[in-house]
Every structure is written in C-alpha cells, then in structure tokens.
Amino acid sequence: MLFTQFRFLFDAVKLFSPGREERKTKGKIDNVHWNSTLRTCQIFLVHFAGTILSFLENPSANNVLPPIKCCVALEMTSFPSSSDKKTLKRWFFIDKRVGNLATMDIESNHSSPVLTDPAPINKSRLGIHSNLLSYATSGGSLSSSKYRNIPRKKPGKLDEVCSNAYLDAMKSSSPPRKKLIKDGADTAYGTWMLKHPSALNSFEEIANFAKNKKIAMFLDYDGTLSPIVDDPDNALMSDDMRFAVRNFAKYFPTAIISGRSRDKVYQLVGLTELYYAGSHGMDILGPVRRAVSSDHPNCNESTTDQQGKEVNLFQPAREFIPMIDEVFRTLVEDTKGIKGAKVENHKFCVSVHFRNVDEKNWQSIAQCVQDILDKYPRLRKTHGRKVLEVRPMIDWNKGKAVEFLLDSLGAGLSNRDDVLPIYIGDDLTDEDAFKVLREGNRGCGILVSSRPKETNAVYSLRDPSEVQIFIVFHKLSIFISISFRFSFQILWWKLDNTSGDEISQFPRDMEEGGCILNNRRTI
Ligand SMILES: O=P(O)(O)OC[C@H]1O[C@H](O[C@H]2O[C@H](CO)[C@@H](O)[C@H](O)[C@H]2O)[C@H](O)[C@@H](O)[C@@H]1O
C-alpha cells in the first residue's frame, strides 16, 4: 500500500510536466503545471491520510482503491502521444478494474432513448404544403427563414475554374496518411499546438473551466470514436472505446452527432445511455423538449423509445426524404462506372465517397455531384474527409443540433452559465459546432487531428485513442473528487465518532458526496 502511495507521489510530480510537443516549442514549465503538481500533492496527502485511517479501521479491506484511482487518472495525462501502446494497454487494464469497482460506489439509472425505426411521417399533421413536395424540377426558393438562399452557378458542365475548386477541396479534404509522418510535420504540429493545446495536457485548465458547471458531452463518430478506414462499413468502434463512452454517459449527458444516419450510428455504437443525432443533426432523438422552438413548429414529434420512455424526435428536413431517396438512386447509377466510388443514403443526406477512387477519376465524381445540384436546386454540397455530401439547403448543422440538444436537456440550457458543453470532432462539418461553442465562450471544442488545421476548436487531440483517454480521464476526475471527499469524510468521522448512530449516518454523507456527480448528470 505504501509503495502505491509513493509511486503515486512520484507520478504526480513527473506527470504534470509539459507534453512532448510543448516541451519542444516552449522549453519551460509554466505556472499551470506547477499548480497542477501542488494540487496533486494535496490530493495525495488527503488520500494517504484516508487510506491509513480506513486501513486502521479494517485491515482486511481493499484499501488501495483510492490511490489506484488517482494513479490511473494521473498516468493518463502523461501520454505524450498515443504511440506508447504498451502503457496504454496497462492503463486501460487498470481503468477497467477501477471502473467496475467505482460503479459499485455510485449507482446511476441514467439512460437515453433509442429508437431504431423511423417514426411514420404524417404530412398533413406536419403542415407541409403539397407544393413543397414537388421538388425535383421546381426552382423557386422557399420563403421560410430556415431555407438558405445561396447563389448557385448556372447548370451545366464543370468549367475549368469550378472544376479546379472542386478538385482542390477534394484533395485537401484528407491528405494521404503516410505523408503526415514526414520531417518537419512534427515541428509544424508542435507550433500549431501552442494555439490548440492538447486537451490531455490542458486538464487543469478544462477542470477550472468546468468548476461548478454541469458537463454535457457531444461526440462525432467517424475519426473521433472510430479510426478512419477505407470502407465506411468497417469503421468500427473498439470495445475499449465503447466501454469508456458508456461509463462517461452514465454520469454526464452525452450525445453523438454524426453525418451518418441515426439508425446506422446507433447500430455502430450500440449504447442506450446516449442521445443520437444523425445526418449532421437533421435527425435528433432526444429528451422531451420543454419548450418547442417557434422556428420549427412542425418538426418535433413526441414518441416513445424501445424502453417505452417518452422522447422527442426532431427532423427539420423531413420533407426532403423522398428527394434524398431519389438522389441516392441517381448517384448510385451515375457512379456505377467509377471504380472505388461508394454512395451512402443517410436519409436526410447522401454521401459520395472517393477515398478509393483513382485521383484521375475525381473529376467524374465531382461532375456527378454537380449534375445533381443542377437538377435539385434545393440541395447543396458539403465536404468531409474524402467524401462529398449532398444535403438539403436548410439552415441546420451540427452547431444548431448542439444548441437544440442543450435546450432539450433543460429549457434554455444553451445560454446558461452553469453548463459546460464539450464537443469533440475531427471533420469540417464539426466546425459549425466548434463555432457555436466558441462564440460567447460557451463551451469547449476539441479537434481530433494529427496535423495542423484551421479550426474554431480550442483544444486538440491527436486521434481516437487520445479521445478515449480524454473521456476516461474526465470520468475518473469525478471519482477522484468523490474519493477525495470520501477521504475527508473518513477523517472527519474518525475524529468525531462517538456513537453508533454516526456509522449509519455515513452512507447518507456519501450520497451527498456524490451530489457533484448527480448534479452533472441531471442538467
Ligand atoms: O460526422 P461523422 O460521424 O464523422 O461522419 C462523417 C462521415 O463519416 C463517414 O466517412 C468517413 O469515415 C469513413 C470510415 O472511416 C471513411 O472511409 C471516409 O473516407 C470518411 O469520409 C461516413 O461514411 C460518411 O457517410 C459520413 O458523412
């Protein structure tokens, strides 16, 4: 036990030194790291006292749990990069044990709705005028404020300028992975990290930001929870990641906002503890809304999830479903001859992948998409990582989805000062969410990228394995505050213990200790 405690102190001092990239560019330890070290020593002392006292009380009990929890949480901050696979494995092994033990301390029934089957659309109830459904050739713009009026080029073939712009955007959407490791890339990344520091090395700063606030977590799927792979159907989330997200979502409201269809992303993640928003936020299954936005009066539908819980289905682009279906079929047909092309139907948007298409054929992909835009003026194009997406021209994106979910979680929460929304994502489409959080310092955006990128996010993480560490770290930080209080309570109780009544009082105190957690969970 003593060895564990001393190892903990040693780690505490060692681990809060700046990470590899920051050391290279900064070369000195700043105040934040010293403050972290002091705070860590403080935690160590309280744990040490608490452990000794509980050991004296019951020598046979497993008293090393609190220090192990702290060691685990501290060790994770020391990862300079995810390349240290051995340490990662050891770390997650410990976390699993601690996670299980800790779950026995704190029980939660938090679960979020899951609905895999789309709710039937009742057009007349939704108030959609029949004109709006005759979409294919109608060129008239919609009067509603939710529809954007974006000037579009005249229909026809891609001209040289337009074609170059398309190809540039397609090329920059995801550079070849091998090139990233080149000399100099590390230095550029290090410099970029001064502007967007690693969220792992900025724990203290984020923790200060989160002080007395309730955390709400928003996660992207591809490139954030699962690594980018050639075949979108093989973008699987690891069991460790699933375990980490599940444990986190038990205590903090957590939502996944993906470009994929809601059904597909639920199928891939498979957790009932989360909220899901598919098609870049155009398909949200969330908690029952207390206030319905007047901008979208006909897009909310009250329904029940698989567990029979009342939930709210929000689909601001419902009327586009038949159009998207038609576009999907056309694109499948049109790209049939292009080797490697893949088209996905996400119900409210269509993805055209060119990751496996020879670069000399990218122009043909661009032309197919342009033909669709020419035929359907109410659709627009966005870019992702080696993917072009066709979606409705409505004023809705991942940023709006974050605001919507914050509102749903508690009326008006999106503007309240006591909530800290955290959004983690890797793609261009996540920038809308980063922007929303950056405006007015509302929350904290974290970009997942292993190369410098222009972004509205404040912090960065290299890849999904660092996302996993970050998620577990935050969950454990709560356990630390509870064990911290727990240690104090043991100390207090030991000094003050005079009657048997106080022993029975103890569990209730622990419950109060857990209120930090409960507060966060019930925003
Ligand atoms: O918002 P997200 O959850 O990040 O979804 C964005 C797109 O993700 C998927 O494509 C990306 O990941 C694939 C698998 O790793 C990769 O092959 C592809 O090149 C990436 O663009 C998904 O297939 C798209 O439909 C989503 O729009």
Tab-separated table of all heavy atoms in Angstrom, residues 220-222 227-232 235 257-260 280 344 346 351 353 355 384-387 389 398 426-427 429-430, ligand 1:
chain	number	residue	atom	x	y	z
A	220	ASP	N	-18.536	13.340	-32.142
A	220	ASP	CA	-18.698	12.959	-33.531
A	220	ASP	C	-18.368	11.446	-33.595
A	220	ASP	O	-17.806	10.908	-32.634
A	220	ASP	CB	-17.680	13.805	-34.313
A	220	ASP	CG	-17.483	13.344	-35.725
A	220	ASP	OD1	-18.474	13.185	-36.418
A	220	ASP	OD2	-16.318	13.158	-36.128
A	221	TYR	N	-18.715	10.762	-34.673
A	221	TYR	CA	-18.388	9.328	-34.708
A	221	TYR	C	-17.110	9.029	-35.512
A	221	TYR	O	-16.069	8.718	-34.928
A	221	TYR	CB	-19.575	8.502	-35.241
A	221	TYR	CG	-19.255	7.031	-35.230
A	221	TYR	CD1	-19.280	6.309	-34.041
A	221	TYR	CD2	-18.854	6.377	-36.396
A	221	TYR	CE1	-18.929	4.959	-34.015
A	221	TYR	CE2	-18.507	5.030	-36.381
A	221	TYR	CZ	-18.541	4.333	-35.184
A	221	TYR	OH	-18.175	3.011	-35.154
A	222	ASP	N	-17.182	9.206	-36.855
A	222	ASP	CA	-16.038	8.799	-37.694
A	222	ASP	C	-14.830	9.697	-37.461
A	222	ASP	O	-14.937	10.923	-37.514
A	222	ASP	CB	-16.437	8.843	-39.168
A	222	ASP	CG	-17.381	7.719	-39.507
A	222	ASP	OD1	-16.926	6.593	-39.699
A	222	ASP	OD2	-18.612	7.973	-39.551
A	227	PRO	N	-11.502	4.942	-35.865
A	227	PRO	CA	-10.464	5.432	-36.774
A	227	PRO	C	-10.973	5.480	-38.215
A	227	PRO	O	-11.892	4.746	-38.575
A	227	PRO	CB	-9.343	4.386	-36.630
A	227	PRO	CG	-9.985	3.191	-36.030
A	227	PRO	CD	-11.235	3.606	-35.333
A	228	ILE	N	-10.379	6.354	-39.012
A	228	ILE	CA	-10.767	6.438	-40.426
A	228	ILE	C	-10.217	5.213	-41.158
A	228	ILE	O	-9.036	4.887	-41.051
A	228	ILE	CB	-10.219	7.736	-41.062
A	228	ILE	CG1	-10.911	8.967	-40.467
A	228	ILE	CG2	-10.371	7.722	-42.585
A	228	ILE	CD1	-12.403	9.119	-40.780
A	229	VAL	N	-11.101	4.517	-41.850
A	229	VAL	CA	-10.701	3.330	-42.617
A	229	VAL	C	-11.243	3.461	-44.040
A	229	VAL	O	-12.091	4.318	-44.303
A	229	VAL	CB	-11.238	2.022	-41.968
A	229	VAL	CG1	-10.577	1.750	-40.629
A	229	VAL	CG2	-12.754	2.077	-41.791
A	230	ASP	N	-10.742	2.605	-44.922
A	230	ASP	CA	-11.126	2.724	-46.327
A	230	ASP	C	-12.608	2.447	-46.580
A	230	ASP	O	-13.237	3.084	-47.400
A	230	ASP	CB	-10.280	1.773	-47.184
A	230	ASP	CG	-8.863	2.308	-47.339
A	230	ASP	OD1	-8.657	3.506	-47.031
A	230	ASP	OD2	-7.963	1.538	-47.738
A	231	ASP	N	-13.153	1.450	-45.880
A	231	ASP	CA	-14.542	1.081	-46.114
A	231	ASP	C	-15.423	1.605	-44.961
A	231	ASP	O	-15.280	1.158	-43.818
A	231	ASP	CB	-14.639	-0.453	-46.196
A	231	ASP	CG	-16.059	-0.911	-46.468
A	231	ASP	OD1	-16.959	-0.051	-46.568
A	231	ASP	OD2	-16.268	-2.139	-46.567
A	232	PRO	N	-16.330	2.534	-45.262
A	232	PRO	CA	-17.174	3.098	-44.193
A	232	PRO	C	-17.924	2.032	-43.379
A	232	PRO	O	-18.220	2.245	-42.203
A	232	PRO	CB	-18.163	3.977	-44.943
A	232	PRO	CG	-17.521	4.286	-46.235
A	232	PRO	CD	-16.622	3.138	-46.569
A	235	ALA	N	-15.924	0.905	-40.255
A	235	ALA	CA	-15.477	1.902	-39.270
A	235	ALA	C	-16.060	1.530	-37.907
A	235	ALA	O	-17.079	2.064	-37.469
A	235	ALA	CB	-15.941	3.289	-39.692
A	257	ILE	N	-23.264	13.156	-32.444
A	257	ILE	CA	-23.811	13.907	-33.580
A	257	ILE	C	-22.984	13.524	-34.804
A	257	ILE	O	-21.819	13.891	-34.914
A	257	ILE	CB	-23.750	15.423	-33.322
A	257	ILE	CG1	-24.469	15.751	-32.007
A	257	ILE	CG2	-24.363	16.179	-34.498
A	257	ILE	CD1	-24.560	17.220	-31.682
A	258	SER	N	-23.592	12.750	-35.679
A	258	SER	CA	-22.830	12.184	-36.795
A	258	SER	C	-23.418	12.576	-38.147
A	258	SER	O	-24.585	12.934	-38.256
A	258	SER	CB	-22.849	10.656	-36.656
A	258	SER	OG	-22.321	10.052	-37.808
A	259	GLY	N	-22.580	12.440	-39.169
A	259	GLY	CA	-23.042	12.655	-40.532
A	259	GLY	C	-23.804	11.434	-41.035
A	259	GLY	O	-24.550	11.501	-42.011
A	260	ARG	N	-23.615	10.330	-40.384
A	260	ARG	CA	-24.305	9.093	-40.798
A	260	ARG	C	-25.771	9.161	-40.395
A	260	ARG	O	-26.162	10.003	-39.584
A	260	ARG	CB	-23.660	7.897	-40.094
A	260	ARG	CG	-22.255	7.607	-40.595
A	260	ARG	CD	-21.708	6.441	-39.832
A	260	ARG	NE	-20.326	6.152	-40.205
A	260	ARG	CZ	-19.957	5.132	-40.960
A	260	ARG	NH1	-20.845	4.292	-41.431
A	260	ARG	NH2	-18.684	4.937	-41.226
A	280	HIS	N	-25.954	14.781	-39.766
A	280	HIS	CA	-25.417	16.092	-39.352
A	280	HIS	C	-26.403	16.879	-38.496
A	280	HIS	O	-26.502	18.098	-38.594
A	280	HIS	CB	-25.009	16.918	-40.575
A	280	HIS	CG	-23.948	16.260	-41.399
A	280	HIS	ND1	-22.642	16.150	-40.963
A	280	HIS	CD2	-23.997	15.642	-42.598
A	280	HIS	CE1	-21.935	15.512	-41.874
A	280	HIS	NE2	-22.733	15.167	-42.876
A	344	GLU	N	-23.682	6.510	-50.063
A	344	GLU	CA	-24.446	6.090	-48.884
A	344	GLU	C	-25.685	6.965	-48.739
A	344	GLU	O	-25.620	8.181	-48.919
A	344	GLU	CB	-23.606	6.262	-47.616
A	344	GLU	CG	-22.502	5.251	-47.414
A	344	GLU	CD	-21.756	5.556	-46.127
A	344	GLU	OE1	-21.166	6.652	-46.034
A	344	GLU	OE2	-21.766	4.713	-45.224
A	346	HIS	N	-28.108	8.516	-46.164
A	346	HIS	CA	-28.261	8.781	-44.732
A	346	HIS	C	-29.623	9.375	-44.398
A	346	HIS	O	-29.768	10.096	-43.421
A	346	HIS	CB	-27.142	9.711	-44.249
A	346	HIS	CG	-25.779	9.108	-44.375
A	346	HIS	ND1	-25.493	7.831	-43.964
A	346	HIS	CD2	-24.627	9.598	-44.867
A	346	HIS	CE1	-24.233	7.574	-44.196
A	346	HIS	NE2	-23.670	8.617	-44.755
A	351	SER	N	-23.970	10.622	-49.098
A	351	SER	CA	-22.509	10.756	-49.141
A	351	SER	C	-21.970	10.069	-50.384
A	351	SER	O	-22.366	8.943	-50.704
A	351	SER	CB	-21.870	10.060	-47.939
A	351	SER	OG	-22.258	10.691	-46.754
A	353	HIS	N	-18.442	8.840	-51.602
A	353	HIS	CA	-17.049	8.633	-51.175
A	353	HIS	C	-16.115	8.489	-52.369
A	353	HIS	O	-16.435	7.782	-53.324
A	353	HIS	CB	-16.943	7.348	-50.341
A	353	HIS	CG	-17.633	7.463	-49.017
A	353	HIS	ND1	-17.001	7.965	-47.910
A	353	HIS	CD2	-18.887	7.147	-48.626
A	353	HIS	CE1	-17.835	7.949	-46.883
A	353	HIS	NE2	-18.994	7.461	-47.292
A	355	ARG	N	-12.597	8.066	-51.544
A	355	ARG	CA	-11.353	7.606	-50.903
A	355	ARG	C	-10.659	6.521	-51.728
A	355	ARG	O	-9.452	6.474	-51.839
A	355	ARG	CB	-11.663	7.096	-49.495
A	355	ARG	CG	-10.449	6.622	-48.720
A	355	ARG	CD	-10.792	6.344	-47.270
A	355	ARG	NE	-11.130	7.560	-46.542
A	355	ARG	CZ	-10.252	8.408	-46.051
A	355	ARG	NH1	-8.964	8.168	-46.175
A	355	ARG	NH2	-10.632	9.492	-45.416
A	384	GLY	N	-16.452	16.413	-46.690
A	384	GLY	CA	-15.951	15.755	-45.489
A	384	GLY	C	-14.618	15.137	-45.856
A	384	GLY	O	-13.987	15.536	-46.848
A	385	ARG	N	-14.193	14.163	-45.100
A	385	ARG	CA	-12.904	13.525	-45.376
A	385	ARG	C	-13.049	12.565	-46.551
A	385	ARG	O	-13.610	11.494	-46.423
A	385	ARG	CB	-12.399	12.815	-44.125
A	385	ARG	CG	-12.133	13.813	-43.005
A	385	ARG	CD	-11.730	13.139	-41.735
A	385	ARG	NE	-10.354	12.677	-41.770
A	385	ARG	CZ	-9.675	12.321	-40.685
A	385	ARG	NH1	-10.240	12.395	-39.494
A	385	ARG	NH2	-8.450	11.899	-40.784
A	386	LYS	N	-12.547	12.985	-47.691
A	386	LYS	CA	-12.653	12.231	-48.941
A	386	LYS	C	-14.087	11.794	-49.208
A	386	LYS	O	-14.367	10.658	-49.603
A	386	LYS	CB	-11.702	11.035	-48.922
A	386	LYS	CG	-10.252	11.488	-48.876
A	386	LYS	CD	-9.353	10.709	-49.777
A	386	LYS	CE	-8.033	11.437	-49.922
A	386	LYS	NZ	-6.878	10.625	-49.733
A	387	VAL	N	-14.989	12.727	-48.982
A	387	VAL	CA	-16.401	12.470	-49.250
A	387	VAL	C	-17.080	13.788	-49.626
A	387	VAL	O	-16.753	14.844	-49.079
A	387	VAL	CB	-17.071	11.811	-48.000
A	387	VAL	CG1	-17.104	12.727	-46.796
A	387	VAL	CG2	-18.456	11.306	-48.313
A	389	GLU	N	-20.841	15.506	-49.883
A	389	GLU	CA	-22.173	15.214	-49.366
A	389	GLU	C	-23.210	16.143	-49.972
A	389	GLU	O	-22.955	17.329	-50.165
A	389	GLU	CB	-22.168	15.320	-47.843
A	389	GLU	CG	-21.444	14.136	-47.248
A	389	GLU	CD	-21.278	14.232	-45.753
A	389	GLU	OE1	-20.815	15.272	-45.282
A	389	GLU	OE2	-21.601	13.254	-45.079
A	398	LYS	N	-24.480	20.849	-37.438
A	398	LYS	CA	-24.132	20.239	-36.148
A	398	LYS	C	-24.152	21.271	-35.000
A	398	LYS	O	-24.430	20.930	-33.857
A	398	LYS	CB	-22.765	19.563	-36.232
A	398	LYS	CG	-22.775	18.273	-37.060
A	398	LYS	CD	-21.440	17.556	-36.939
A	398	LYS	CE	-21.487	16.193	-37.636
A	398	LYS	NZ	-20.275	15.397	-37.400
A	426	ASP	N	-13.706	15.707	-35.649
A	426	ASP	CA	-12.482	15.731	-36.473
A	426	ASP	C	-12.677	16.365	-37.842
A	426	ASP	O	-11.712	16.561	-38.572
A	426	ASP	CB	-11.991	14.294	-36.699
A	426	ASP	CG	-12.894	13.554	-37.671
A	426	ASP	OD1	-14.117	13.586	-37.460
A	426	ASP	OD2	-12.377	12.984	-38.646
A	427	ASP	N	-13.921	16.649	-38.221
A	427	ASP	CA	-14.182	16.953	-39.631
A	427	ASP	C	-14.618	18.399	-39.828
A	427	ASP	O	-14.946	19.102	-38.870
A	427	ASP	CB	-15.295	16.002	-40.106
A	427	ASP	CG	-15.106	15.610	-41.546
A	427	ASP	OD1	-14.383	16.331	-42.251
A	427	ASP	OD2	-15.701	14.609	-41.971
A	429	THR	N	-17.381	19.418	-40.980
A	429	THR	CA	-18.767	19.616	-40.548
A	429	THR	C	-18.862	19.855	-39.038
A	429	THR	O	-19.860	20.374	-38.549
A	429	THR	CB	-19.648	18.404	-40.920
A	429	THR	OG1	-19.059	17.242	-40.342
A	429	THR	CG2	-19.749	18.224	-42.417
A	430	ASP	N	-17.806	19.477	-38.303
A	430	ASP	CA	-17.812	19.711	-36.847
A	430	ASP	C	-17.487	21.167	-36.521
A	430	ASP	O	-17.692	21.614	-35.391
A	430	ASP	CB	-16.810	18.777	-36.162
A	430	ASP	CG	-17.145	17.322	-36.388
A	430	ASP	OD1	-18.305	16.962	-36.135
A	430	ASP	OD2	-16.275	16.549	-36.836
B	1	LIG	O1	-19.924	13.100	-38.755
B	1	LIG	P1	-19.176	11.801	-38.775
B	1	LIG	O2	-19.702	10.799	-37.815
B	1	LIG	O3	-17.697	12.000	-38.648
B	1	LIG	O4	-19.443	11.214	-40.236
B	1	LIG	C1	-18.839	11.811	-41.377
B	1	LIG	C2	-18.724	10.810	-42.493
B	1	LIG	O5	-18.130	9.649	-41.908
B	1	LIG	C3	-18.002	8.502	-42.738
B	1	LIG	O6	-16.997	8.731	-43.704
B	1	LIG	C4	-15.713	8.949	-43.180
B	1	LIG	O7	-15.265	7.769	-42.489
B	1	LIG	C5	-15.117	6.601	-43.338
B	1	LIG	C6	-14.732	5.426	-42.450
B	1	LIG	O8	-13.593	5.670	-41.705
B	1	LIG	C7	-14.049	6.896	-44.404
B	1	LIG	O9	-13.898	5.779	-45.269
B	1	LIG	C8	-14.497	8.115	-45.221
B	1	LIG	O10	-13.492	8.462	-46.158
B	1	LIG	C9	-14.742	9.309	-44.296
B	1	LIG	O11	-15.291	10.404	-45.022
B	1	LIG	C10	-19.311	8.147	-43.359
B	1	LIG	O12	-19.165	7.049	-44.232
B	1	LIG	C11	-19.907	9.349	-44.075
B	1	LIG	O13	-21.115	8.991	-44.633
B	1	LIG	C12	-20.079	10.448	-43.054
B	1	LIG	O14	-20.658	11.567	-43.650
